[in-house]
Amino acid sequence: MTPGTADADLGPNGEAEWQRLRRQLEYADGFWLGFVFTRSPAVCVTLRSRTERMLKTRAMTLQSLRPATPPELAVALASLFDAPAVHHGCVWVEAVRSDPAIITTSGPTWRDAWESFALRLNERRDRLRRHTSQGAGPRSSL
């Protein structure tokens, strides 16, 4: 942990998982896709900030997408193709949300949105790989 940061205490298991993620990012060359699942927004912020700091040491940036609603997550994948990928070393899509215990019919749930996102991502993985490989240097997607 870097002095002066407000990282959450991940505990021994969380620190071990951070080391796994860090190694994956360090070894990534070209297209890499990973998923981080956590119930804790504080843990998510810590992992994102550590990833961002690590990328900065490699002269790379992190593009962070934080959809606030399920419909925003549905369009997040399209936005990955909007901006040139050459400026980013990592794309972080963060939606640490849960659906209310009582599901209403007011729209799609987070679960529905993530299922759709994963399906669309799988359909477009080759296009995404080509898009993220257009820039110079190693590239990672998270």
Side-chain angles (χ1 to χ4, degrees), residues 2 5-8 18 42-56 62 66 92 94:
T2 306
T5 62
D7 285 352
W18 160 246
V43 167
C44 190
V45 167
T46 295
L47 294 174
R48 179 176 26 87
S49 67
R50 288 182 182 187
T51 299
E52 189 168 23
R53 289 192 308 264
M54 189 196 81
L55 290 171
K56 283 182 182 179
L62 180 129
R66 296 185 199 142
W92 184 278
E94 180 176 317

Side-chain angles (χ1 to χ4, degrees), residues 32-132:
W32 181 81
L33 176 67
F35 293 89
V36 176
F37 296 96
T38 179
R39 295 177 187 218
S40 168
V43 167
C44 190
V45 167
T46 295
L47 294 174
R48 179 176 26 87
S49 67
R50 288 182 182 187
T51 299
E52 189 168 23
R53 289 192 308 264
M54 189 196 81
L55 290 171
K56 283 182 182 179
T57 67
R58 298 172 70 188
M60 301 167 104
T61 62
L62 180 129
Q63 177 187 4
S64 186
L65 304 174
R66 296 185 199 142
T69 64
E72 287 180 27
L73 179 58
V75 299
L77 184 58
S79 71
L80 296 179
F81 297 103
D82 292 343
V86 297
H87 300 296
H88 304 293
C90 180
V91 177
W92 184 278
V93 181
E94 180 176 317
V96 183
R97 309 281 189 280
S98 62
D99 292 314
I102 301 171
I103 303 297
T104 65
T105 57
S106 62
T109 64
W110 279 107
R111 182 183 179 114
D112 296 338
W114 274 109
E115 286 177 0
S116 177
F117 182 84
L119 287 171
R120 301 297 81 81
L121 181 63
N122 186 44
E123 291 168 355
R124 295 175 177 94
R125 71 183 179 276
D126 291 330
R127 182 175 169 217
L128 184 60
R129 181 180 293 116
R130 285 190 306 273
H131 181 72
T132 59

